Amino acid sequence: MNALLKHRLTWPVLALVLLLLLNQLFRADFLAVRVQDGHLFGSLIDILRNGAPTILIALGMTLVIASRGIDLSVGAVAAISGAVSCTYIYNSPDPSSFRTAAVAVVIAVAVGLALGLWNGFLVSVVGIQPIIATLVLMTAGRGLAQLVTDGQIISVSNDSYQAIGAGFFLGLPISILIAAVAFGVAGLLTRRTALGTLIEAVGINPVASRLAGLNARNITWTVYVFSGLCAAVAGLMISSNVTAADANNAGLYIEMDAILAVVIGGTSLAGGRYSLVGTLVGALIIQTLTTTVYTLGIPPEVTLVFKALVVIIVCLLQSSKARALLGRRRRPVTEQSEVKVSI
Amino acid sequence: MNALLKHRLTWPVLALVLLLLLNQLFRADFLAVRVQDGHLFGSLIDILRNGAPTILIALGMTLVIASRGIDLSVGAVAAISGAVSCTYIYNSPDPSSFRTAAVAVVIAVAVGLALGLWNGFLVSVVGIQPIIATLVLMTAGRGLAQLVTDGQIISVSNDSYQAIGAGFFLGLPISILIAAVAFGVAGLLTRRTALGTLIEAVGINPVASRLAGLNARNITWTVYVFSGLCAAVAGLMISSNVTAADANNAGLYIEMDAILAVVIGGTSLAGGRYSLVGTLVGALIIQTLTTTVYTLGIPPEVTLVFKALVVIIVCLLQSSKARALLGRRRRPVTEQSEVKVSI
Amino acid sequence: GGGSDAGGGSDDGITMGFAQVGAESGWRTANTKSIQDSAKAAGVDLKFSDAQQKQENQIKAIRSYIQQQVDVIAFSPVVESGWDTVLKEAKDADIPVILTDRSVDSADTSLYKTFLGSDFVEEGKKAGDWLVEDSASTDGPINIVELQGTTGAAPAIDRKEGFEAAIAADPDLTIVESQTGDFTRSGGKQVMEAFLKNTPDIDVVYAHNDDMGLGAIEAIEAAGKVPGKDIKIITVDAVKDGMTALSEGKINYIVECNPLLGEQLMDLAAKVVAGEEVPARVVTEESAFTPEQAKEVLASREY
Amino acid sequence: MNEIVPVVAMAGISIEFPGVKALDGVDLRLFQGEVHALMGENGAGKSTLIKALTGVYAIDGGTITVMGSDHRFTSPAEAQAAGVSTVYQEVNLCPNLSVEENILLGREPRRRGGISWKEVRRKAREVLGQLQLGHIDPGSVLSSHSIALQQLVAIARAVQVDARVLILDEPTSSLDADEVQQLFAVIRTLRDRGVAILFVSHFLEQVYEISDRMTVLRNGKLVGEYLTRDLPRMALISKMIGKEMDALAELEDAEGRRQSDRTQDAPFMQAEGLGRKGSVRNVTVAIHAGEILGLAGLLGSGRTETARLLFGADRSDQGSLRIGGTVRTLRTPRSAIDRGIAFSSENRKEEGLIGDLSVRDNLVLAMQASKGWLRRIPRATQDQLAEKFIRALDIRPASKDALIRNLSGGNQQKVLLARWLITNPRLLILDEPTRGIDIGAKTQIQKLISTLASDGMSIIFISAELEEVLRLSDRIAVLKDREMVADLANDGVTMEDVMTIIAGTNA
Ligand SMILES: Nc1ncnc2c1ncn2[C@@H]1O[C@H](COP(=O)(O)OP(=O)(O)OP(=O)(O)O)[C@@H](O)[C@H]1O
Ligand SMILES: Nc1ncnc2c1ncn2[C@@H]1O[C@H](COP(=O)(O)OP(=O)(O)OP(=O)(O)O)[C@@H](O)[C@H]1O
Ligand SMILES: [Mg+2]
Ligand SMILES: [Mg+2]
């Protein structure tokens, strides 16, 4: 029991469950999932499908944060990726073929990787502070996306493309399947290889890692590239879900959601230890929160306040837990600082 | 010369000068300042007046960042402060009297302090990570502001109130005078007393500071309260400048501008050493940048990209400087880490 | 489709799900209020939600309406495109959809019953036409500066287009500068300040909404010029503050963009639910105001 | 052993930092199968020379030859790849990672692409075993261990690879006798395997015990290279400090301090069964004014944790604490400081230094903190204090404005000591105050402590060097397994006595 209380995931999971029950309370069939024209249908499915982009981006964000960085540009990257792919499809000779969609996806992913490289370059080689380095792309990115779509909203109709964000496979939303795969891959990559440990090492003590002979630079670089990749795929989901690219609004504020997800998941922004599963739970909490607002019919004026309250409660639970733990561990000062030290 | 190159302020100042010259190049009378109905008039004055809120907020942000924190809520706080004061004036019996304006200001400032206390509480007492703690108010704050104005744009006509943001004293914009005073006070407070050093100490090594008997908690708390105060006053300027409170748009994205200003000014987001003057220069660069866009008539679509480019160039200059220094100083490990360690 | 009427659709009155864009401006708030009031008046059970400018949220809201099996769904799309999927879902659940204020660019118009709202291009055109007519008497070039709305936003694009089309009629009229003021007062003021320094002889300001116009007025006054005289000002929206300025002669012409489409909406809703035919496009009754007209209507202005 | 070609030969190495010429034409030769001691005062340039070799710092002049070929490492990674394995002076590990992860960081054993955590665990166990550290759990988080243990882990990491050159910068600074012996055992086996070992320490007896050859530095200059057996201690000392000085004699008269018994007058601080869950238990001591209480115990026995309890750095949850007769609970260091208690931590890097602040700021920090931020200590006073203590403790470089992180380990330690001396507390708790400090300075500091005590300051003295404790203290509290087992007046207590107590209690 005590061990359970101590576990970093207990509180987030609890919060998620409570949120779902709350919804169930207001709408008896909330948790119900029925099959409708061949695929699963219901609020839970919606939560998963709409949550997929956030989950994906939060995944990339987790590694970035573990390395003591942060990536504010994810929203913009998502927008660009959507813009690029849709514009390509829009202008291609046969805008509805599978091939076109495939090429569009490849291009978008490539762009995402490139942008990730750029971020990583600024941070690890040039040595600009992550929040600034990525802030640059965060602002410029929207501009770029607008240039691509030249200020218009590009809508496409291509079933294969639409499938990415709105399609189903074996009854499950394809988007969530993609996210799941990404998670699996990331999990393996970081745990089966040493990457995870190395990232943590760099995040905790860059000096030590360098003295230990690690190539901090490449590790840092890698995480930003990965984050860019995740953002690009998320961008595909978002645009394909609405079969259109909106340079201004696609993935707006998603970076904040992702960061929140990571933190709610119990990863410290000071870098170091991280938990992918935690992030997953965090992202789901945030998505469920949005849905809750609509199920409960919370008046628009107080929506933001409501959301903020929930977030703060989760954080409080966690940190009070942290404080409780202080009692048991050895070097409280450090502990405490860990909570404080960090932006 | 060499010493000059090494000085942390050289590059920012240079960048500022270049920007101004660029404008001058496009508009011969850009730097000209003439007297018009009793006060100074010209682009430079505009830059100062429109820059005042950013300067003020960046000032508060500098101390927060020096203590290893960050305050994302400043924009929301500014909006709330404006909303509160304007709503008060709007509903007061004689909405145009000096007394009303004075009371409104007092209320707004009080609110700002309260919100600062709240942030400080979350960070220093509860121990929530600053970026999250303030993110909460950042989102909820807009909601609160909307509740105050109930979604309307509250316009007021009160000369004394309007003076704050749009008025002139001895030919100079009152807003910039306020900002100047704030800077003076902050400078004195931090340098003539030990506050500055203590903030830096907490920012550099919280654990050691605590063991040395510093009351890290109170110090952290103080900086957030101060930041809240600055944001509130900035909010007054913004709303009074347009004699209206706009819950949605007042101070939107100003937190990012402020953070940029601080960093451009040469303060590390990792906390520790800070430079108020640097921040001032940084804020002016950012404001001038906006003006430049108008003077050069850069089309809105590419504005963001243009701004981002300039910012990145400034950062590059600074960090390449840092790298150049490495050559002389040869403390790669720590240096590098210093650049990297920081979110 | 929705078999049992479990959700909200009660037999006595209509249940309407309305997904609002947000509460980003006074105009929008008035729009919301009008819809809520007329719903009450018409005895419509209104389920209201606010998407905070995010299409994703709006789609969620609509989906939840579909699940609650309301009788009719109305919404002002945050953006033009990307609605096919959700609209299709609504159609499958045979719930009629009414678009208000902003349109969607979906190819398949059968996805919604009708679009009730202003025609932004038309608004821009009205503004342009007035200027052409007003400056017919004076000859010699006329310098116009334009305060655009948020870059990429539909109203901004259309009002620009309509205006430019209209002033093409008179070669003397040229837009010398055009920047975005993000639909906000401080935006309008700051941009106008810069314009005043860049171009000494500005004759006309065309602002995509009242707020930016009001900001511009302050900038003009600060520059020691008289708004409405030295520099003519044309805006779109006609919110109360704007109308006041207009009545004071600080603004010369305001094209109305009427948010009070509540009543029209409820009529249409009643019709569609009853299965009657409705025109695919219903333009909100909108006029435009000169200072004189402003003085008359000002008192009776609701927003 | 064959001396034909040195494994590493550094010649005419020069490194200059802004202001200081850290190294000036220094030579160093390492031969395989030999333990080479690098000797010098604090700030002599030992660590810098090591960092120059391992590619942390680029050198301004000179040549480095590795295995015969002219070679210059541009990064620690390269040095490692070339078989040069190093333990730097400051423990540089990742506190949040587990012990095993730290030991094998960057060279995790792989199997079929992925790494095998079983293998990681096995290797970690193996090397910990070599250092007689079988008892610590390789999976435990590093930060849960004391600084001394962390240092041993760092050593384990270094010896885990079969390197051709092993560099140990003050590895023994916070180890006590047993650990030192275990370390030496390992060093000997490696040496016999033909590894070239560079060893830095300020403990002469250790140097004489383990080293075959030594290089002496003074103020960044080379004094000379000698065979250990040809160089008597006194000669070595005078070569290091550059003047004839009878350090041992000084040690003698430090020892000759009166055995005062102050137990009759009321104690300044009195702990009754003080303890903390998961940490130390049943600490019962009384400290009188002008008394020096030594804490004796083996590594991990709980000395540091006891100190932290008495200072309020950790909160006690058992027993009671009386200060000046009245019962107090110390919630924060601050509340302890307000009652005239000071604590200089053993972990100078994480719990002492404010790296980016100047020596001056670091010196006055504690005093400033207790004055409060409003009452800033005037610059003039700050400078006086700084100059005074820079002189008193012979801190080098003698500049108030140098950033403390640029000082050498020993000099940093001196500054931190001064930080507390300035506040002139009633009870001064010193945890490993002489860690990494050279003999000259050490005798100074020991004298200083005695004088302070005679002037009526109470002192709790913790040191891994038991002799030091015995020599200085009036009374000695013995800890074992994080529990206090004895409290004896120091009338000629010998190391054997203490050891028997420690051994005895587990019967
Ligand atoms: N990064 C640096 N910047 C400036 N000066 C430095 C730097 N590193 C070392 N120094 C100076 O170089 C000199 C030698 O330092 P070093 O650490 O090598 O001494 P050391 O022999 O290791 O002393 P100790 O025995 O105390 O560890 C010192 O005067 C120190 O102040
Ligand atoms: N939470 C914990 N988990 C595991 N071990 C712990 C914990 N807290 C304390 N310890 C152990 O308790 C021991 C006592 O620590 P302390 O630093 O007080 O020992 P010490 O007597 O000072 O020895 P040293 O010479 O290493 O300083 C440490 O070795 C540490 O490993
Ligand atoms: Mg050293
Ligand atoms: Mg200890």
Side-chain angles (χ1 to χ4, degrees):
Chain A
M1 179 55 213
N2 205 334
L4 189 66
L5 277 178
K6 271 193 207 167
H7 194 290
R8 54 164 22 147
L9 282 184
T10 313
W11 292 109
V13 171
L14 204 68
L16 179 56
V17 173
L18 285 178
L19 265 180
L20 289 172
L21 290 182
L22 182 65
N23 283 285
Q24 177 66 11
L25 245 153
F26 273 71
R27 252 205 26 244
D29 65 341
F30 182 82
L31 296 176
V33 173
R34 68 180 199 283
V35 176
Q36 165 174 316
D37 39 49
H39 62 72
L40 296 176
F41 183 90
S43 305
L44 289 181
I45 303 298
D46 285 349
I47 292 180
L48 286 178
R49 209 180 76 243
N50 297 327
T54 318
I55 293 176
L56 208 52
I57 286 182
L59 170 65
M61 188 70 78
T62 311
L63 296 187
V64 174
I65 286 178
S67 77
R68 248 199 226 192
I70 196 163
D71 186 348
L72 296 181
S73 70
V74 283
V77 174
I80 295 177
S81 136
V84 174
S85 53
C86 287
T87 319
Y88 173 82
I89 296 180
Y90 189 80
N91 300 330
S92 75
D94 60 345
S96 58
S97 76
F98 172 81
R99 244 186 107 282
T100 320
V103 178
V105 169
V106 173
I107 297 176
V109 168
V111 170
L113 289 173
L115 294 172
L117 274 170
W118 164 254
N119 280 333
F121 172 77
L122 289 186
V123 174
S124 66
V125 181
V126 183
I128 299 180
Q129 314 193 35
I131 203 171
I132 299 304
T134 54
L135 181 61
V136 166
L137 189 50
M138 176 189 187
T139 40
R142 298 258 162 224
L144 291 176
Q146 278 183 26
L147 290 181
V148 176
T149 63
D150 66 56
Q152 300 296 345
I153 292 168
I154 310 287
S155 40
V156 300
S157 62
N158 177 314
D159 298 351
S160 348
Y161 186 71
Q162 184 164 9
I164 302 172
F168 288 82
F169 179 69
L170 304 175
L172 283 170
I174 292 179
S175 56
I176 198 62
L177 293 177
I178 296 178
V181 170
F183 249 83
V185 173
L188 283 180
L189 260 179
T190 48
R191 285 308 167 205
R192 296 281 291 100
T193 78
L195 190 59
T197 324
L198 299 191
I199 293 174
E200 288 180 342
V202 172
I204 295 159
N205 188 344
V207 187
S209 329
R210 180 154 186 282
L211 290 180
L214 301 188
N215 187 332
R217 169 173 300 188
N218 291 359
I219 293 170
T220 316
W221 208 329
T222 318
V223 292
Y224 283 94
V225 173
F226 181 67
S227 172
L229 173 63
C230 291
V233 178
L236 288 172
M237 291 179 183
I238 295 173
S239 65
S240 107
N241 186 29
V242 298
T243 61
D246 177 349
N248 287 331
N249 302 299
L252 200 58
Y253 299 125
I254 201 166
E255 60 277 352
M256 289 307 174
D257 285 351
I259 296 172
L260 261 181
V262 174
V263 172
I264 292 179
T267 303
S268 156
L269 285 165
R273 284 292 187 203
Y274 66 88
S275 152
L276 292 182
V277 183
T279 299
L280 180 61
V281 178
L284 287 177
I285 289 183
I286 288 173
Q287 191 57 45
T288 314
L289 200 49
T290 323
T291 316
T292 314
V293 170
Y294 296 109
T295 347
L296 273 62
I298 299 202
E301 305 78 33
V302 295
T303 306
L304 292 172
V305 182
F306 170 76
K307 284 188 174 183
L309 277 180
V310 176
V311 168
I312 214 162
I313 289 169
V314 179
C315 292
L316 277 172
L317 284 174
Q318 278 184 315
S319 89
S320 69
K321 158 180 153 277
R323 281 208 258 67
L325 276 175
L326 289 191
R328 281 175 216 81
R329 285 239 206 86
R330 181 164 184 282
R331 298 213 185 300
V333 203
T334 342
E335 285 305 333
Q336 202 182 31
S337 74
E338 265 170 39
V339 203
K340 292 238 197 69
V341 178
S342 59
I343 337 182
Chain B
M1 179 54 212
N2 207 331
L4 189 65
L5 276 178
K6 274 189 202 169
H7 194 289
R8 50 149 47 132
L9 282 184
T10 312
W11 292 109
V13 171
L14 202 67
L16 180 55
V17 173
L18 286 178
L19 264 180
L20 290 173
L21 290 181
L22 181 66
N23 283 284
Q24 177 67 14
L25 226 118
F26 273 71
R27 240 191 52 230
D29 67 339
F30 181 83
L31 296 175
V33 172
R34 63 184 158 79
V35 175
Q36 142 151 349
D37 39 48
H39 62 73
L40 297 176
F41 181 89
S43 302
L44 289 181
I45 304 298
D46 287 348
I47 293 179
L48 287 178
R49 211 185 71 252
N50 293 324
T54 317
I55 294 176
L56 207 51
I57 286 182
L59 169 65
M61 189 69 79
T62 311
L63 296 188
V64 174
I65 287 179
S67 76
R68 259 202 214 189
I70 195 162
D71 186 349
L72 296 180
S73 70
V74 282
V77 174
I80 295 177
S81 139
V84 173
S85 53
C86 287
T87 319
Y88 173 82
I89 297 180
Y90 189 79
N91 300 330
S92 74
D94 61 346
S96 60
S97 77
F98 172 80
R99 239 185 113 282
T100 319
V103 178
V105 169
V106 173
I107 298 177
V109 168
V111 170
L113 289 172
L115 294 172
L117 274 169
W118 164 255
N119 281 333
F121 172 77
L122 289 185
V123 174
S124 67
V125 181
V126 183
I128 298 180
Q129 313 192 33
I131 202 170
I132 298 303
T134 54
L135 181 62
V136 167
L137 188 51
M138 176 187 186
T139 42
R142 298 259 164 219
L144 292 176
Q146 279 183 30
L147 288 180
V148 175
T149 61
D150 69 60
Q152 301 293 351
I153 293 181
I154 309 286
S155 20
V156 300
S157 62
N158 178 314
D159 299 351
S160 350
Y161 186 70
Q162 183 165 11
I164 301 171
F168 288 82
F169 179 69
L170 305 174
L172 284 170
I174 292 180
S175 57
I176 197 62
L177 292 176
I178 296 178
V181 171
F183 248 82
V185 173
L188 285 181
L189 258 180
T190 49
R191 289 309 174 199
R192 310 292 294 115
T193 76
L195 192 57
T197 322
L198 298 192
I199 292 175
E200 287 179 338
V202 172
I204 296 166
N205 188 342
V207 183
S209 311
R210 176 166 179 272
L211 285 176
L214 268 68
N215 191 332
R217 169 172 300 189
N218 290 0
I219 292 172
T220 317
W221 209 329
T222 319
V223 293
Y224 283 94
V225 173
F226 181 67
S227 172
L229 174 64
C230 291
V233 178
L236 288 172
M237 290 179 180
I238 296 172
S239 64
S240 112
N241 185 29
V242 296
T243 61
D246 180 343
N248 294 293
N249 304 305
L252 201 59
Y253 299 124
I254 201 166
E255 60 277 353
M256 289 307 176
D257 286 350
I259 295 172
L260 260 182
V262 174
V263 171
I264 292 179
T267 302
S268 155
L269 285 165
R273 289 289 193 186
Y274 66 89
S275 151
L276 292 182
V277 183
T279 299
L280 180 60
V281 178
L284 287 177
I285 290 183
I286 288 173
Q287 187 57 44
T288 313
L289 200 48
T290 319
T291 315
T292 313
V293 169
Y294 303 140
T295 328
L296 275 59
I298 296 184
E301 301 74 31
V302 295
T303 303
L304 293 172
V305 181
F306 171 76
K307 284 188 174 182
L309 277 180
V310 177
V311 168
I312 213 158
I313 289 169
V314 178
C315 292
L316 278 172
L317 283 174
Q318 275 182 316
S319 89
S320 70
K321 156 180 156 269
R323 287 220 298 314
L325 276 176
L326 288 190
R328 268 174 234 97
R329 271 229 231 110
R330 167 184 340 82
R331 315 207 21 273
V333 184
T334 3
E335 279 307 333
Q336 206 179 29
S337 73
E338 267 169 35
V339 206
K340 288 242 198 65
V341 176
S342 59
I343 319 189
Chain C
S4 78
D5 239 6
S10 48
D11 319 60
D12 40 286
I14 301 174
T15 311
M16 171 190 281
F18 188 91
Q20 181 59 286
V21 176
E24 74 278 12
S25 64
W27 189 96
R28 185 64 58 190
T29 326
N31 175 255
T32 304
K33 196 165 166 305
S34 144
I35 289 164
Q36 286 166 331
D37 295 351
S38 16
K40 228 182 251 79
V44 172
D45 168 13
L46 182 73
K47 299 193 177 303
F48 185 87
S49 75
D50 176 333
Q52 280 137 18
Q53 318 295 329
K54 289 177 81 176
Q55 178 174 35
E56 178 198 358
N57 291 350
Q58 210 163 25
I59 291 177
K60 277 192 212 91
I62 295 172
R63 287 225 169 86
S64 79
Y65 293 146
I66 297 175
Q67 272 154 4
Q68 296 168 47
Q69 293 152 9
V70 298
D71 304 319
V72 56
I73 294 176
F75 73 108
S76 326
V78 173
V79 299
E80 287 188 350
S81 55
W83 298 99
D84 303 23
T85 329
V86 66
L87 289 181
K88 186 120 181 16
E89 289 170 26
K91 197 176 178 193
D92 298 343
D94 51 48
I95 300 176
V97 173
I98 301 176
L99 306 177
T100 65
D101 158 44
R102 299 186 186 179
S103 171
V104 302
D105 68 357
S106 146
D108 173 3
T109 51
S110 76
L111 289 178
Y112 55 89
K113 286 274 176 292
T114 175
F115 164 36
L116 163 66
S118 343
D119 179 341
F120 299 134
V121 183
E122 182 56 31
E123 291 166 356
K125 227 176 131 310
K126 283 186 194 163
D129 293 339
W130 178 84
L131 182 58
V132 171
E133 178 178 331
D134 176 75
S135 53
S137 50
T138 61
D139 48 9
I142 293 182
N143 294 337
I144 308 167
V145 295
E146 181 182 34
L147 298 174
Q148 300 180 32
T150 311
T151 317
I157 298 172
D158 296 351
R159 287 173 186 168
K160 187 174 179 39
E161 182 188 328
F163 185 77
E164 282 169 350
I167 63 170
D170 180 343
D172 289 350
L173 302 176
T174 45
I175 300 181
V176 288
E177 299 207 63
S178 178
Q179 281 286 351
T180 173
D182 291 313
F183 280 132
T184 67
R185 283 193 201 188
S186 37
K189 182 172 184 181
Q190 208 179 348
V191 174
M192 192 59 200
E193 281 169 348
F195 284 173
L196 285 162
K197 311 253 174 355
N198 290 351
T199 355
D201 50 357
I202 297 172
D203 304 306
V204 179
V205 176
Y206 168 51
H208 286 188
N209 77 344
D210 289 349
D211 283 326
M212 289 192 292
L214 292 164
I217 291 176
E218 304 201 353
I220 294 170
E221 283 170 339
K225 297 201 160 117
V226 184
K229 310 253 176 319
D230 305 352
I231 298 181
K232 292 210 165 82
I233 300 177
I234 311 168
T235 69
V236 185
D237 265 6
V239 297
K240 204 174 192 92
D241 290 342
M243 292 299 275
T244 323
L246 181 61
S247 63
E248 293 163 354
K250 291 181 174 179
I251 299 181
N252 305 67
Y253 192 67
I254 297 186
V255 177
E256 183 181 41
C257 178
N258 186 1
L260 307 182
L261 38 72
E263 273 176 46
Q264 279 176 292
L265 176 59
M266 296 310 150
D267 305 346
L268 285 169
K271 289 208 183 77
V272 258
V273 173
E276 300 171 27
E277 268 314 309
V278 292
R281 178 75 168 92
V282 181
V283 178
T284 38
E285 302 109 8
E286 294 183 330
S287 52
F289 304 94
T290 60
E292 299 65 35
Q293 295 159 318
K295 289 201 191 64
E296 296 155 17
V297 299
L298 189 55
S300 62
R301 207 71 185 158
E302 296 173 39
Y303 60 98
Chain D
M1 66 202 83
N2 65 331
E3 300 199 357
I4 316 95
V5 60
V7 188
V8 172
M10 307 175 77
I13 301 298
S14 301
I15 285 187
E16 183 163 3
F17 296 109
V20 255
K21 200 150 179 36
L23 290 177
D24 184 0
V26 176
D27 308 344
L28 176 72
R29 305 184 301 159
L30 298 183
F31 296 98
Q32 64 166 272
E34 186 176 277
V35 178
H36 191 122
L38 184 56
M39 303 301 294
E41 293 181 290
N42 294 133
K46 304 182 291 295
S47 302
T48 308
L49 185 60
I50 287 170
K51 289 181 176 162
L53 171 58
T54 58
V56 176
Y57 294 158
I59 57 178
D60 295 337
T63 61
I64 304 177
T65 352
V66 181
M67 335 278 173
S69 63
D70 188 338
H71 201 342
R72 200 177 280 189
F73 302 122
T74 57
S75 81
E78 277 185 29
Q80 255 184 35
V84 179
S85 178
T86 316
V87 177
Y88 295 92
Q89 180 170 12
E90 293 302 341
V91 182
N92 255 318
L93 297 171
C94 301
N96 299 29
L97 293 185
S98 68
V99 170
E100 61 192 5
E101 283 170 324
N102 271 293
I103 292 179
L104 290 141
L105 186 61
R107 38 179 133 95
E108 293 81 357
R110 309 177 177 288
R111 170 171 308 131
R112 286 187 260 92
I115 62 177
S116 102
W117 292 105
K118 279 226 302 309
E119 193 61 9
V120 170
R121 172 80 35 124
R122 196 186 59 70
K123 292 196 162 180
R125 280 246 165 74
E126 183 180 281
V127 63
L128 288 173
Q130 287 174 14
L131 290 160
Q132 313 299 321
L133 293 174
H135 59 281
I136 61 172
D137 163 16
S140 59
V141 181
L142 185 79
S143 63
S144 71
H145 297 293
S146 74
I147 194 74
L149 256 163
Q150 295 186 19
Q151 193 161 24
L152 283 166
V153 172
I155 295 171
R157 173 181 168 76
V159 301
Q160 191 272 331
V161 286
D162 42 12
R164 292 140 96 178
V165 181
L166 174 62
I167 301 175
L168 302 167
D169 193 352
E170 301 198 24
T172 56
S173 58
S174 59
L175 303 187
D176 54 36
D178 298 1
E179 284 69 37
V180 173
Q181 285 318 315
Q182 285 146 18
L183 174 59
F184 282 4
V186 175
I187 291 183
R188 290 198 182 90
T189 26
L190 290 174
R191 180 192 58 196
D192 301 342
R193 267 197 241 142
V195 178
I197 294 155
L198 182 63
F199 177 80
V200 180
S201 171
H202 291 292
F203 298 108
L204 294 192
E205 49 289 340
Q206 292 178 7
V207 172
Y208 276 92
E209 180 181 346
I210 194 74
S211 73
D212 310 296
R213 181 191 301 270
M214 50 176 79
T215 296
V216 181
L217 302 182
R218 187 169 65 236
N219 302 333
K221 292 200 179 54
L222 176 69
V223 177
E225 185 198 78
Y226 314 88
L227 287 176
T228 311
R229 57 179 180 288
D230 305 347
L231 190 69
R233 286 172 190 234
M234 294 323 301
L236 171 60
I237 292 173
S238 49
K239 289 198 186 307
M240 286 196 296
I241 62 178
K243 56 180 181 323
E244 293 304 324
M245 174 259 221
D246 191 345
L248 293 186
E250 299 223 1
L251 300 189
E252 301 313 322
D253 57 61
E255 199 170 335
R257 90 180 272 278
R258 76 278 170 277
Q259 305 296 340
S260 66
D261 176 25
R262 299 163 181 267
T263 33
Q264 58 273 18
D265 45 14
F268 167 72
M269 181 194 255
Q270 201 164 12
E272 279 295 337
L274 203 65
R276 169 187 171 80
K277 195 160 166 298
S279 170
V280 284
R281 283 182 311 290
N282 155 37
V283 175
T284 305
V285 284
I287 307 126
H288 301 78
E291 191 175 41
I292 302 182
L293 171 72
L295 293 192
L298 302 178
L299 171 143
S301 55
R303 293 161 297 181
T304 297
E305 295 191 319
T306 309
R308 291 177 62 89
L309 280 189
L310 296 177
F311 184 60
D314 302 346
R315 266 184 227 181
S316 59
D317 51 19
Q318 306 153 14
S320 71
L321 187 68
R322 300 174 157 279
I323 298 170
T326 51
V327 178
R328 302 254 185 232
T329 40
L330 298 176
R331 286 211 167 58
T332 59
R334 183 52 185 277
S335 51
I337 291 168
D338 293 343
R339 303 200 160 60
I341 307 172
F343 168 64
S344 137
S345 165
E346 66 179 346
N347 186 349
R348 82 177 145 231
K349 185 149 150 266
E350 268 136 39
E351 300 179 358
L353 302 177
I354 310 290
D356 287 343
L357 291 189
S358 67
V359 170
R360 181 201 298 102
D361 291 337
N362 272 280
L363 269 168
V364 298
L365 187 64
M367 184 189 232
Q368 184 63 70
S370 53
K371 272 189 180 314
W373 63 271
L374 263 176
R375 314 217 326 281
R376 174 169 177 270
I377 305 168
R379 185 56 166 258
T381 327
Q382 293 191 17
D383 290 343
Q384 284 168 12
L385 286 169
E387 277 152 13
K388 173 159 163 251
F389 280 90
I390 287 177
R391 230 179 295 107
L393 300 180
D394 169 36
I395 294 168
R396 299 180 214 166
S399 105
K400 315 184 277 297
D401 302 296
L403 293 191
I404 193 165
R405 66 171 147 83
N406 293 345
L407 261 57
S408 78
N411 286 303
Q412 291 174 341
Q413 186 65 40
K414 295 182 193 169
V415 175
L416 294 183
L417 198 58
R419 174 188 290 174
W420 292 111
L421 296 179
I422 288 180
T423 63
N424 164 31
R426 297 186 56 192
L427 168 60
L428 177 56
I429 306 175
L430 299 170
D431 193 357
E432 318 271 7
T434 55
R435 174 168 166 240
I437 286 189
D438 62 41
I439 18 157
K442 186 178 272 175
T443 36
Q444 273 177 324
I445 289 173
Q446 291 171 348
K447 276 212 220 117
L448 188 69
I449 291 173
S450 316
T451 0
L452 289 171
S454 352
D455 304 350
M457 189 184 293
S458 318
I459 290 166
I460 297 182
F461 186 78
I462 305 175
S463 169
E465 258 182 302
L466 193 46
E467 311 87 330
E468 202 181 16
V469 178
L470 294 175
R471 194 180 323 120
L472 285 173
S473 342
D474 304 311
R475 285 190 17 267
I476 295 168
V478 184
L479 285 98
K480 177 180 186 188
D481 301 339
R482 302 202 249 144
E483 179 163 21
M484 193 177 137
V485 291
D487 175 4
L488 28 142
N490 181 6
D491 32 30
V493 178
T494 65
M495 295 183 65
E496 291 65 32
D497 304 342
V498 177
M499 285 310 168
T500 34
I501 293 176
I502 292 176
T505 41
N506 60 8

